[in-house]
Amino acid sequence: MRLADLSESSGVSLATIKYYLREGLLPPGRLINTTQAEYDESHLRRLRLVRAMIQVGRIPVATVREVLAHVDDDSLGLTLRLGAALRTLPHPTEPTLAADEDQPTAAARKLADDLFTRLGWSAPCEVGDLSPAHRALVAALATLGRLGYPLSTDDLLPYARYMEQAAVYDLDRMEVLPTPQEQAEYAVAAAVLFEPVLLNLRRLAQAEQSGRRYGL
């Protein structure tokens, strides 16, 4: 398809597509002559992902470029490629953990470590403070402890096991796609677009179960 066809199929203006091409967010098309290039379904798929990241995720262009560089990095195995791309995405809570930890933070870190040991999680590309998700987990557990709502490993295990089942289902869906690049794109899109779906399903399920258990 020509650039005009790509614009029509995606609903993205020609000017915006040209901007994405200049910024390296969209790979160049295949040249068919000195002034025209041809685009395919992979460009349309990437364009939709870029729009989701920028418009829905409110992710800066520079960060989008970095995420996509990891998505396209054929030198990495799929686990490292997914880990690098997802770590680069902005995290809803990006805490900075102090070098000298207070007691609640130290306790939260030990709780997380104990939880992972009980689960048998190794997470080779998501180790310790390299992972925004790990830092956010430790910070959240520490805050709960400070406010008088401490959790134990036994409290967290059922939640973590449900999340493990969800992760297996995520990867099963991802593996339907034919290439590692498409699989990595799917993982990024799911992180940006689907996590709010899961959060709100949980809240709706809580409301439903509360009504069934306690009435109105």
Side-chain angles (χ1 to χ4, degrees):
M1 70 182 84
R2 304 293 176 86
L3 197 60
D5 300 320
L6 183 61
S7 175
E8 183 177 355
S9 297
S10 65
V12 180
S13 70
L14 281 171
T16 299
I17 294 175
K18 290 177 180 178
Y19 170 69
Y20 290 163
L21 286 165
R22 289 195 303 272
E23 291 295 319
L25 306 184
L26 196 65
R30 182 179 64 87
L31 285 176
I32 53 178
N33 57 47
T34 56
T35 60
Q36 289 185 317
E38 190 173 58
Y39 302 87
D40 58 25
E41 289 299 318
S42 68
H43 291 91
L44 183 59
R45 187 183 67 244
R46 176 58 61 88
L47 186 55
R48 287 171 175 157
L49 177 59
V50 169
R51 294 297 275 176
M53 294 172 73
I54 291 174
Q55 289 192 324
V56 179
R58 306 295 182 187
I59 300 173
V61 167
T63 304
V64 173
R65 187 188 302 110
E66 186 179 357
V67 170
L68 295 177
H70 294 308
V71 166
D72 295 333
D73 189 350
D74 293 330
S75 71
L76 298 177
L78 185 56
T79 296
L80 292 175
R81 187 186 294 201
L82 293 176
L86 296 178
R87 275 199 305 273
T88 305
L89 287 173
H91 198 279
T93 53
E94 285 275 14
T96 301
L97 296 177
D100 298 325
E101 294 184 343
D102 60 9
Q103 191 278 329
T105 300
R109 189 180 299 280
K110 184 179 184 305
L111 174 59
D113 290 345
D114 290 345
L115 176 66
F116 299 152
T117 299
R118 291 275 296 276
L119 292 164
W121 288 5
S122 57
C125 67
E126 290 289 320
V127 177
D129 287 344
L130 292 177
S131 165
H134 184 278
R135 293 197 303 269
L137 174 63
V138 170
L141 293 173
T143 299
L144 284 166
R146 291 188 194 99
L147 295 177
Y149 299 98
L151 294 171
S152 68
T153 306
D154 287 338
D155 294 326
L156 290 172
L157 269 172
Y159 292 101
R161 286 177 173 144
Y162 278 123
M163 292 300 100
E164 192 169 42
Q165 292 175 29
V168 169
Y169 185 61
D170 284 341
L171 295 182
D172 288 344
R173 286 173 55 84
M174 185 186 75
E175 287 173 359
V176 173
L177 299 170
T179 68
Q181 183 186 55
E182 289 175 76
Q183 292 170 358
E185 287 180 344
Y186 173 86
V188 170
V192 174
L193 300 174
F194 196 62
E195 287 184 359
V197 173
L198 297 179
L199 171 62
N200 288 292
L201 278 175
R202 177 176 179 267
R203 291 179 178 177
L204 289 166
Q206 286 176 333
E208 175 66 20
Q209 291 302 314
S210 178
R212 290 182 185 183
R213 185 172 299 194
Y214 309 120
L216 298 177

